[in-house]
Amino acid sequence: DNINFSVSAPGKIILMGEHSVLYSKKGIAAAISKRTYLHFKEHKQAHEQITFNLKNINGVNEWDFKSVYDLITSHKPLVVDSLKEFNLFTPELLNHDEFVNILRQFVIKKNVESGPKQKSMMCLFYVVVGMLWCTDVNITPFDIEISTDLTIGAGTGSSASFAVCSAAAMYHYIRLKAMQKHGVGEFNISYEMFKPFNVTLSQHYCGFTSQDKEIINKWAYCVEKVMHGTPSGLDNTVCTYGNTVLINMSDGSEEFRKFQMMDAMPPLRVLLINSGIERCSSDLIAKVADVYKLCPEAIDGVLQAMDTVALQFIKLLKEMKEQEERGEITNVYTKLEVLIDIQHCLLKSLSVSHKRLEEIVECCARAGLHAKLTGAGGGGFAFALVSPSIPEDVVDKTITTLYNAGFITDDIVANSEGVVLDIKFI
Amino acid sequence: DNINFSVSAPGKIILMGEHSVLYSKKGIAAAISKRTYLHFKEHKQAHEQITFNLKNINGVNEWDFKSVYDLITSHKPLVVDSLKEFNLFTPELLNHDEFVNILRQFVIKKNVESGPKQKSMMCLFYVVVGMLWCTDVNITPFDIEISTDLTIGAGTGSSASFAVCSAAAMYHYIRLKAMQKHGVGEFNISYEMFKPFNVTLSQHYCGFTSQDKEIINKWAYCVEKVMHGTPSGLDNTVCTYGNTVLINMSDGSEEFRKFQMMDAMPPLRVLLINSGIERCSSDLIAKVADVYKLCPEAIDGVLQAMDTVALQFIKLLKEMKEQEERGEITNVYTKLEVLIDIQHCLLKSLSVSHKRLEEIVECCARAGLHAKLTGAGGGGFAFALVSPSIPEDVVDKTITTLYNAGFITDDIVANSEGVVLDIKFI
């Protein structure tokens, strides 16, 4: 049978620490139940096209298989420094800029207009070409179809979940093709010039191990660089590992790590509310930098308070987890609500709120829901925590009230699953 | 000629540090150009009444001079502990509660209904009886007429300015009477049982020295206790000394003092805007205490940020002063505005703002003015800093816009003069 599978990856929201994480303060990000889905379908060798169908940006593109195959086979020396160090596990050794230039030339030749579609194609080719370079598998043409629940370019990790799905799909395809070639067992799947890379090949995969995710995350980060230039790596990490990711948070016992993946934080029901106001994250980051320059001590005071609030928030999530493990009804929601209120005001004090975001927060407050902006602010999204004590009709009414005020709300879950493999058809 | 003079004392606003000062954090209070005025007029001995005319609470009350005189002469042993330590400089040695009870009985006998009028009468008698106890001067009947620019009971120091005026008037009356008795020069004016207290008596006083103010402030604090139970002493200190008073701010070189009087901070033009929402300060203080109890670390983070912002604010005022002394145009307003914005958001994060206060802040922001709540919040007042760069017509339009939204605005000056003596008639 032809290879045929689906992967999906979550979007993300920032729970705590917008902007402050850029000043080494603690923050918390969470995967959400809105996801991006990728369906991969292999064709027989006779098929002459590779098809990328990006449903949400109306981006169907067919590519001549031969020319893609040539691209994969012809540019291997591009890899920087010692070829002998490179393999599927070390995409950071690629000469990223040169590689991206080659991909751009390739895509432009096909007359893909510049913009999101062109960038998406370059991203897909980054993993298709880059990951296949690393290996000795033989490929045939395939279709990739991608759709998403996420609003694109709105700060909820749409590009990272796209990147993670792409990397995960290509990784899964490679190990399936390697299995077809080598059979079941542990085999080196690296291309002969490169550093050996052993993978345990199997006929049936039920998902991605933690090493699989490390590979996926690394390639997704490269794709994010194609999309955003110098991403922090947070979004791809959250979209790969899911659940909760702590930022700049040392837990004392281990070495300081920029991101710390938590895999069992309790799910939080939240309303994700779109302010409908477009904003440019980098402008908002510059705005905070300007006010920081003007009043460094005062802004640092605010950032320090944000840090404290973020730390308390994660402590409460851990407490909630322990309470739930002991079968107790959790009592931390009231405190989480206080922290959400405070954090929103602290963000407002950095001048990154917006009239419409304030309207959302007030509208939620009138219903007893506690909301804060999420992401860079200045527009974009807010989220409201839905405590189990809030009656369902109050939630419904709030969503209606928000709708009547021009705000679209999604009733979602934060701290959701990361990248997953779905072997059934979509 | 009969003694005839006026004194006046300013109201106050909190510039920075509402609530946080109750948690040992730094704050700044300022005297404002809205004042309370007291006119004192002595009658000949033949007159049989002492008249208190509290114009703003429609509180005209006549008191039989003989009964007041008896009160003054009959209760001296009330003073606690060693009578030999007591004098005009040490009102803290009075048995406050017992004294207040006597005054309450005295006032109730006159059928003054309980409420603000009764309390005001008790306050006036506190200084009339208490201060005259200390001395050996002979008095005759007099009229006291008090009026104020301040909104009563709205957190702008109306009661403290009333207390300061009362204490200042009685102090001035005593030294004038002492001069009539002893002549010009340094004399002990204490009552014979008490500790000697030397005062330099003069025919012409042009105001109050720093020791005079210390006495006035001490008695005003006692009066504030009659009014409020356990006041912090901030309001009477600001209304006595004027200008700027720093709270919980050690300047490093000297011993820590709860209040630190600054006497030459530059005047700041502000719009004082009444939200029209009545609130109870103690309820708001309790609200913050509750949330502090719930999330101590997070709230402490906010309070710490408030502390930092307050410290920066006073540093900027000092910088402004130095710039003005060097004849330079000051450039600190933009920074002061940032700090005002931040401090308001920090207060909002303590849940002590109010919808109407937010409306004021937004309305000001639309005009380029930066405003924050002042006082306990939950209603009461906001102030907006008027930078010299704001055109006059913008200020006028803002006041009109605020008025149309139901807010009364006063165009005032903060960091104004403290208690002053005006020897001319009102």
Side-chain angles (χ1 to χ4, degrees):
Chain A
D1 282 0
N2 290 343
I3 289 170
N4 192 338
F5 65 89
S6 296
V7 294
S8 73
K12 73 104 206 345
I13 55 173
I14 303 282
L15 292 175
M16 291 276 145
E18 289 88 351
H19 294 283
S20 60
V21 294
L22 301 177
Y23 297 81
S24 307
K25 301 297 189 280
K26 298 178 196 66
I28 310 169
I32 58 176
S33 51
K34 283 167 79 96
R35 301 177 72 85
T36 296
Y37 305 90
L38 185 152
H39 184 205
F40 185 99
K41 197 174 109 192
E42 194 187 34
H43 291 289
K44 291 285 168 220
Q45 189 70 45
H47 196 83
E48 290 181 348
Q49 308 287 331
I50 284 184
T51 306
F52 295 150
N53 181 2
L54 309 183
K55 291 186 143 188
N56 297 63
I57 58 169
N58 194 24
V60 185
N61 258 270
E62 301 204 322
W63 302 84
D64 177 55
F65 178 65
K66 178 72 174 59
S67 66
V68 175
Y69 194 83
D70 286 350
L71 186 65
I72 295 167
T73 50
S74 62
H75 286 279
K76 295 209 181 182
L78 176 76
V79 172
V80 289
D81 299 338
S82 166
L83 295 180
K84 288 188 173 123
E85 291 303 315
F86 182 66
N87 64 23
L88 203 57
F89 197 70
T90 52
E92 63 273 19
L93 295 181
L94 281 171
N95 186 329
H96 180 83
D97 294 340
E98 208 167 315
F99 185 23
V100 170
N101 266 333
I102 289 168
L103 296 175
R104 185 177 291 112
Q105 297 313 316
F106 182 75
V107 170
I108 285 171
K109 262 194 287 182
K110 186 72 199 296
N111 290 321
V112 178
E113 68 271 39
S114 74
K117 200 165 170 180
Q118 189 188 82
K119 271 214 168 159
S120 302
M121 294 299 153
M122 286 165 63
C123 288
L124 280 167
F125 279 120
Y126 198 103
V127 290
V128 168
V129 175
M131 293 177 89
L132 287 173
W133 267 353
C134 303
T135 69
D136 61 354
V137 299
N138 303 312
I139 66 160
T140 61
F142 52 81
D143 290 354
I144 284 178
E145 186 182 284
I146 301 180
S147 62
T148 187
D149 301 333
L150 295 158
T151 308
I152 290 173
T156 47
S158 59
S159 75
S161 66
F162 168 84
V164 169
C165 281
S166 307
M170 202 46 53
Y171 176 73
H172 187 57
Y173 180 53
I174 286 168
R175 64 184 182 179
L176 291 175
K177 294 307 281 184
M179 194 274 293
Q180 288 180 356
K181 179 176 175 178
H182 300 292
V184 170
E186 185 165 326
F187 291 94
N188 169 25
I189 63 165
S190 271
Y191 178 68
E192 56 187 6
M193 292 169 69
F194 300 149
K195 187 179 179 181
F197 186 66
N198 286 358
V199 172
T200 304
L201 302 174
S202 153
Q203 261 180 317
H204 300 289
Y205 294 99
C206 53
F208 299 108
T209 65
S210 123
Q211 184 184 277
D212 297 339
K213 286 182 183 168
E214 207 170 341
I215 294 166
I216 291 165
N217 192 32
K218 282 181 171 212
W219 285 93
Y221 178 64
C222 293
V223 172
E224 280 280 271
K225 286 206 287 183
V226 179
M227 205 63 104
H228 299 300
T230 53
S232 68
L234 172 67
D235 285 15
N236 48 281
T237 304
V238 179
C239 298
T240 301
Y241 291 92
N243 206 266
T244 309
V245 174
L246 310 187
I247 307 155
N248 299 328
M249 223 178 276
S250 165
D251 74 351
S253 66
E254 62 186 304
E255 204 184 60
F256 175 83
R257 279 186 297 166
K258 194 177 174 192
F259 304 128
Q260 189 180 333
M261 281 74 85
M262 313 293 290
D263 58 5
M265 288 296 106
L268 296 175
R269 181 178 171 194
V270 301
L271 301 182
L272 185 63
I273 306 148
N274 194 336
S275 72
I277 304 296
E278 289 190 22
R279 80 285 178 279
C280 169
S281 294
S282 56
D283 288 353
L284 286 150
I285 289 167
K287 193 176 181 184
V288 174
D290 284 347
V291 73
Y292 186 91
K293 211 170 153 188
L294 196 62
C295 301
E297 297 87 353
I299 296 296
D300 200 61
V302 172
L303 297 172
Q304 193 57 53
M306 291 184 70
D307 184 83
T308 304
V309 172
L311 179 62
Q312 293 307 311
F313 197 91
I314 194 65
K315 280 187 180 173
L316 288 176
L317 288 187
K318 286 176 180 170
E319 197 178 321
M320 188 193 290
K321 185 188 162 194
E322 286 162 17
Q323 288 170 336
E324 288 178 354
E325 281 168 0
R326 289 195 302 266
E328 295 168 18
I329 302 286
T330 182
N331 65 355
V332 306
Y333 272 93
T334 310
K335 294 179 187 178
L336 290 175
E337 288 169 346
V338 168
L339 298 182
I340 287 168
D341 291 345
I342 294 175
Q343 190 81 342
H344 178 73
C345 290
L346 293 172
L347 284 164
K348 190 170 185 232
S349 81
L350 298 177
S351 308
V352 296
S353 189
H354 184 279
K355 196 177 180 313
R356 292 289 277 167
L357 287 168
E358 292 305 309
E359 284 171 38
I360 291 170
V361 170
E362 281 159 30
C363 180
C364 289
R366 280 193 292 274
L369 289 159
H370 298 254
K372 68 178 278 290
L373 72 85
T374 180
F381 286 89
F383 77 79
L385 182 66
V386 183
S387 154
S389 68
I390 305 278
E392 213 47 43
D393 63 319
V394 170
V395 176
D396 292 345
K397 254 185 233 166
T398 307
I399 292 173
T400 306
T401 308
L402 286 164
Y403 183 81
N404 292 338
F407 302 114
I408 305 295
T409 300
D410 280 301
D411 192 347
I412 65 163
V413 176
N415 298 342
S416 295
E417 209 168 14
V419 62
V420 295
L421 173 66
D422 180 0
I423 49 166
K424 291 167 300 201
F425 299 145
I426 287 176
Chain B
D1 282 359
N2 290 343
I3 289 169
N4 193 337
F5 65 89
S6 296
V7 293
S8 73
K12 74 104 206 346
I13 55 173
I14 303 282
L15 292 175
M16 291 276 145
E18 290 87 351
H19 294 283
S20 60
V21 294
L22 300 177
Y23 297 81
S24 307
K25 302 296 189 281
K26 298 178 196 68
I28 310 169
I32 58 176
S33 52
K34 283 167 79 96
R35 301 177 72 85
T36 296
Y37 305 90
L38 185 153
H39 185 205
F40 184 100
K41 198 173 107 192
E42 194 188 33
H43 292 288
K44 290 284 168 220
Q45 189 72 44
H47 195 83
E48 289 181 347
Q49 308 288 331
I50 283 183
T51 307
F52 295 150
N53 181 2
L54 309 183
K55 291 188 142 186
N56 296 63
I57 59 170
N58 194 23
V60 185
N61 258 269
E62 300 203 323
W63 302 83
D64 177 55
F65 178 66
K66 178 75 175 58
S67 66
V68 175
Y69 193 83
D70 286 349
L71 187 65
I72 295 167
T73 50
S74 62
H75 286 279
K76 294 210 182 183
L78 176 77
V79 171
V80 290
D81 299 338
S82 166
L83 295 180
K84 287 187 174 126
E85 291 303 313
F86 183 66
N87 65 22
L88 203 56
F89 197 70
T90 52
E92 63 272 20
L93 295 181
L94 281 171
N95 187 329
H96 180 83
D97 294 340
E98 208 167 315
F99 185 24
V100 170
N101 267 333
I102 289 168
L103 295 175
R104 185 177 291 111
Q105 296 313 317
F106 182 76
V107 169
I108 285 171
K109 261 194 287 182
K110 186 70 199 296
N111 290 322
V112 178
E113 69 271 38
S114 74
K117 200 165 169 179
Q118 188 188 83
K119 272 216 168 157
S120 303
M121 294 301 153
M122 285 165 64
C123 288
L124 280 166
F125 279 119
Y126 198 104
V127 290
V128 168
V129 175
M131 292 177 88
L132 287 173
W133 267 354
C134 303
T135 69
D136 61 354
V137 300
N138 303 312
I139 66 161
T140 60
F142 51 81
D143 290 353
I144 284 178
E145 185 181 284
I146 302 180
S147 62
T148 188
D149 301 333
L150 295 158
T151 307
I152 290 173
T156 48
S158 59
S159 76
S161 66
F162 168 84
V164 169
C165 281
S166 307
M170 202 45 54
Y171 176 72
H172 187 57
Y173 180 53
I174 286 169
R175 64 185 182 178
L176 290 175
K177 294 307 281 183
M179 194 275 293
Q180 288 180 356
K181 178 176 177 178
H182 300 292
V184 170
E186 186 166 325
F187 291 94
N188 169 25
I189 62 165
S190 271
Y191 178 68
E192 56 188 6
M193 292 168 69
F194 299 149
K195 187 178 178 181
F197 186 66
N198 285 358
V199 172
T200 304
L201 302 174
S202 154
Q203 260 181 316
H204 301 289
Y205 294 99
C206 53
F208 299 108
T209 65
S210 121
Q211 184 184 278
D212 296 339
K213 286 182 182 168
E214 208 170 340
I215 294 166
I216 291 166
N217 192 32
K218 282 181 172 211
W219 285 94
Y221 177 65
C222 293
V223 172
E224 280 280 271
K225 286 206 286 184
V226 178
M227 205 63 104
H228 300 300
T230 52
S232 68
L234 172 67
D235 284 15
N236 48 281
T237 304
V238 179
C239 297
T240 300
Y241 291 93
N243 206 265
T244 308
V245 174
L246 310 187
I247 308 155
N248 300 328
M249 223 178 276
S250 164
D251 74 349
S253 66
E254 61 185 303
E255 204 184 60
F256 176 83
R257 278 187 297 165
K258 194 177 174 193
F259 304 128
Q260 188 180 332
M261 281 74 85
M262 313 294 289
D263 59 5
M265 288 296 106
L268 295 175
R269 181 178 171 195
V270 301
L271 301 183
L272 185 63
I273 306 147
N274 194 336
S275 72
I277 305 295
E278 289 191 21
R279 80 285 178 280
C280 169
S281 294
S282 56
D283 288 352
L284 286 150
I285 289 167
K287 193 176 181 184
V288 174
D290 285 347
V291 73
Y292 186 91
K293 210 170 154 189
L294 195 63
C295 301
E297 298 87 353
I299 296 297
D300 200 62
V302 172
L303 297 172
Q304 193 56 54
M306 291 184 70
D307 183 84
T308 304
V309 171
L311 179 62
Q312 293 307 311
F313 197 90
I314 193 65
K315 280 187 179 172
L316 288 176
L317 288 186
K318 286 175 181 170
E319 197 177 321
M320 189 193 289
K321 184 188 162 194
E322 286 162 17
Q323 288 170 337
E324 287 178 354
E325 280 168 1
R326 290 195 301 266
E328 295 168 18
I329 302 286
T330 181
N331 65 354
V332 306
Y333 272 93
T334 309
K335 294 179 187 178
L336 290 175
E337 289 169 345
V338 168
L339 298 183
I340 287 168
D341 291 344
I342 293 175
Q343 190 81 343
H344 178 73
C345 290
L346 293 172
L347 284 163
K348 189 169 186 233
S349 81
L350 298 177
S351 309
V352 296
S353 189
H354 184 279
K355 196 178 180 313
R356 292 289 277 168
L357 287 167
E358 293 304 309
E359 284 171 38
I360 291 170
V361 170
E362 282 159 30
C363 180
C364 289
R366 281 193 291 275
L369 288 159
H370 298 254
K372 68 178 278 288
L373 72 84
T374 180
F381 286 89
F383 77 79
L385 182 65
V386 183
S387 154
S389 68
I390 306 278
E392 213 47 44
D393 63 318
V394 170
V395 176
D396 291 344
K397 254 185 231 164
T398 307
I399 292 172
T400 306
T401 308
L402 285 164
Y403 182 81
N404 292 338
F407 302 113
I408 305 295
T409 300
D410 280 301
D411 193 347
I412 65 164
V413 176
N415 298 342
S416 294
E417 209 169 14
V419 62
V420 295
L421 173 66
D422 181 0
I423 49 165
K424 290 166 300 200
F425 298 146
I426 288 176

